[in-house]
Amino acid sequence: MTRDGGTWRAVFESMGSPGELLVEHESEAMARRIAYLARDEAGRIDRLYSRYRPDSIVTMLNASNGSRRRVDDETAKLLEYGAALWRMSEGRFDLTSGVLREAWSFDEGPVHADPSRIEALMARVGWQRVTWDAPWFTLPAGMEIDLGGIGKEYAVDRVADIAATLTDAPVLVNFGGDLRCVGGKPAGGAWRIGVESVEQAGAAAKLVELSAGALATSGDAKRHVEIDGVRYGHIFDARTGWPPPGAPRSVTVAADTCTQAGSYSTLAMLQGEGAEAFLEAEGVRYWVLR
């Protein structure tokens, strides 16, 4: 843990992304306590919901081979939230669309795309094929769920909520650019957050001041592929198996929670050319880069 002026900073790996915790508190002991709890909570969520872990709940459900499984309350809330996003997006967002990675790969070795596989894979995509009668969940054989679209933001909120129970000092939780602040205003009046440029990695295209709530960004700056000169991002429309045409390069949204902010930014990307119109209709604070 390091200190810069009145701010303690802790860095750790979280949900496959660099995790950062900033705490404006006079006590190093308190800052360390919050940092350890943040690391542990992020690790707990990763163990429960990572599709990469053989002992996770997601892996258990994906291996159920069509059998009905009972899930715990926390998992039930996440599944229900995913179902709500599916309905809100008219099927564009779908927890079962992770199998499309077999046609589009952005995070497992070299980037590649094989669109010829999409048609066959679409037979394994579709929340409407799932039977969800909380707390009972039935996933047809051959299908998978993937909570990656909401898991990181959920982890940010869980860590922020824990920090808020320990102190009313300003705390900022940042997991890979998805973040939330709790407590009072920081010494400068607000946390200053850079929205990464889509043209120059590591450079900020905009500076956002945040004194309460959360911020999340969806975009293709780090994960994309080109086919015949056309750039495709890593967010797929589950109705077609393809990234939506005309999607912005990035969408950043401010909301009360990181889960809300991340959902709005992802759903906006899925609207393609209609991203701004969707965000305006939802009445959220946003920044779009094209």
Side-chain angles (χ1 to χ4, degrees), residues 69-229:
R69 294 286 186 267
R70 185 186 182 104
V71 300
D72 62 276
D73 289 347
E74 184 176 27
T75 303
K77 289 177 182 177
L78 289 173
L79 291 174
E80 187 54 46
Y81 188 71
L85 293 180
W86 177 75
R87 293 188 294 268
M88 181 179 178
S89 68
E90 299 180 327
R92 293 175 176 85
F93 180 95
D94 195 313
L95 294 179
T96 70
S97 65
V99 296
L100 291 168
R101 67 180 177 277
E102 296 180 22
W104 306 87
S105 174
F106 298 95
D107 56 1
E108 298 174 3
V111 170
H112 75 267
D114 185 3
S116 67
R117 302 192 62 185
I118 293 175
E119 184 176 356
L121 288 170
M122 289 300 293
R124 299 164 56 194
V125 175
W127 184 260
Q128 70 275 11
R129 297 185 172 101
V130 167
T131 301
W132 171 230
D133 183 18
W136 297 98
F137 183 75
T138 306
L139 187 68
M143 291 183 64
E144 299 179 7
I145 61 163
D146 188 342
L147 297 178
I150 55 178
K152 184 171 66 170
E153 294 88 346
Y154 173 67
V156 169
D157 284 331
R158 284 287 306 147
V159 169
D161 288 342
I162 289 171
T165 67
L166 297 174
T167 180
D168 58 2
V171 176
L172 178 71
V173 183
N174 178 6
F175 290 174
D178 294 331
L179 51 91
R180 181 177 161 195
C181 57
V182 293
K185 291 184 179 181
W191 300 100
R192 290 170 177 81
I193 314 299
V195 177
E196 188 173 16
S197 168
V198 296
E199 302 295 339
Q200 183 180 352
K206 296 179 182 294
L207 193 64
V208 177
E209 292 193 346
L210 194 70
S211 58
L215 205 68
T217 299
S218 297
D220 70 359
K222 293 183 173 63
R223 294 193 288 174
H224 64 272
V225 65
E226 288 194 8
I227 303 174
D228 298 329

Side-chain angles (χ1 to χ4, degrees), residues 223-244:
R223 294 193 288 174
H224 64 272
V225 65
E226 288 194 8
I227 303 174
D228 298 329
V230 180
R231 182 187 181 106
Y232 294 94
H234 70 286
I235 298 174
F236 313 113
D237 185 334
R239 304 170 306 173
T240 66
W242 284 80

